[in-house]
Amino acid sequence: MSEPTEQPRNATPEIERDVMEYDVVTVGAGPAGLSLAIRLKQLNPELSVCVIEKSSTIGAHILSGAVIEPGPLDALLPGWRESPPPICVPVTDDEFWFLTKTGGYKSPIVPPGMHNKGNFIVSLGAMCAWLAPQAEALGVEIYPGFAAAETLHDDSGRVIGVRIGDMGVARDGSHKPGYTAGIDIRAKVTVLAEGARGHLTKRLVKRFDLDRGSDPQAYSIGIKELWQVPAGRVCPGKVVHSLGWPLDTSTYGGSFLYHLDQDRIALGYVSGLDYRDPEYKPWEAFQQWKNHPYVASLLEGGNIVSAGARAIASGGWQSLPKVEMPGALLIGDTAGLLNVPKIKGTHQAIRSGMLAAEHLASSLSAEGFDAKLRASDAMAELRKVRNIKPGFKKGLWMGLLNAAWETATAGLSPWTLKVKADWPSLRLVDAQEPKPDYVQRTLPPRDRLAGVYFAATEHDEDQPVHLKVADPDICVTRCAEEYDNPCTRFCPAAVYEIVEDPAAEHGKRLQINAANCVHCKTCDIKDPYEIITWVTPEGGSGPNYQNL
């Protein structure tokens, strides 16, 4: 039996591990991973298929807007409308607004990409929890609480499965009384469906040089809350998007507000992580937008039910890495299939999962999947809109003008704009930087720590810190001087703090409040020195989102 090429964290090579073997193992029980598993068993019931998920329950780490296009789901489960997910509201109306500090303008035209007639507002977490038993009914084995800590490789380097992280490891690396060695799950094909900035995918992209010939991946951070509001304010099925305040015209971002049933509203804010101002706070921008008169009037007197954040892969067509390697392939948001102008990725995730299943059912090999995906409807959709997000690099107005052109021509421009990585975009801190035009907030939560409460995130305090900083000395020297420690602002969960410490060499040190982490991966993306690496904590740790 071949040994993995990398030794697991907090374990020794001598540890004897249990082994489970399957035809296909999928890492991640999101819409892509579950769709693949369902379609694979529909096509070949004899195949053994396993889905592992790091969250304690299926859907607990899933967060999205979410308005879905139903076409791929119709193809996967033709009778799904007869017994839909628990939150599934047909879209009845679309609105698009440009906001000022005290008012705004409703656009007479909704951008074509945001026409949602025939679509459904869902909770993606609830939808995944609804998909899982349908996969299990077909014979798929699903294991929540199984956090894949690393990939396994044979002597040739081919991926042969994943190793589950050890349980019961103390912060200092010692084994606690309840220590259990993580098992090895071996498979003929390993499918990475980890979502945006998956930590295994990040390693494999580097190992197999999968991003050679593609632009860097770009990201946004989406921060979302679910509210219960007083009766009479909700118009079920209404979808509202906005641009403008509280952002300046050089920062990419905007809001979504979806009217659900039972007097509930799902709302959130997306900030492009290519922002330049080191003092920018994505979480605060969201809270400011909530206190705009048009939004606050819907929320006042209501209560937050759940809240959270996640990264969104927004590079699009130019940033797609090679999605196959020996023994493994990438699907869904892991590959970066989000349609940014639509702010939709679920239909792409399901579509890519089904395509991968059809490929594996015929060959049980990753080879050839990259070409198949690039020739598919999923990539054709991304190519049409490839220039829209990069066009906003020149500011809001040029971005909107470019978006209008690209939409009118269906992406037939003879050029393709480049996508750049997010981490180098910060400019040096400037004491003369104008302060944002913000208002006094009155709506909850009062701060990020209160927001963490609504994410119901939970980590054993006595486990290894899963946020690895390669050189903490940079944080209190160069970063403090050049960027004023942006990690203390871009993290939506107040994980990073610079604290005074007379015993420290520079009189202060970086403190990592890892128990707050909601697994959004923003730090791994935006850190201007690329010294922060997010790795999976102990299985079952993290947020416990309710209907996000």
Side-chain angles (χ1 to χ4, degrees), residues 475-495:
C475 304
V476 294
T477 54
R478 285 184 59 195
C479 190
E481 179 181 344
E482 296 176 345
Y483 299 106
D484 192 27
N485 298 116
C487 64
T488 63
R489 291 177 294 281
F490 60 55
C491 174
V495 168

Side-chain angles (χ1 to χ4, degrees), residues 426-480:
L426 285 180
R427 59 176 176 253
L428 298 180
V429 70
D430 182 353
Q432 304 304 314
E433 190 74 34
K435 299 298 182 185
D437 189 21
Y438 283 173
V439 299
Q440 185 71 32
R441 293 196 282 109
T442 58
L443 293 172
R446 68 183 180 278
D447 55 29
R448 288 178 294 173
L449 288 180
V452 169
Y453 168 81
F454 293 106
T457 194
E458 184 175 350
H459 299 81
D460 183 350
E461 295 277 2
D462 186 24
Q463 67 170 287
V465 174
H466 65 279
L467 301 149
K468 308 297 183 180
V469 180
D471 186 356
D473 190 62
I474 288 177
C475 304
V476 294
T477 54
R478 285 184 59 195
C479 190

Side-chain angles (χ1 to χ4, degrees), residues 146-165:
F146 275 40
E150 62 179 300
T151 48
L152 304 176
H153 301 262
D154 66 14
D155 293 334
S156 71
R158 181 179 181 274
V159 179
I160 58 172
V162 295
R163 175 163 292 174
I164 304 305

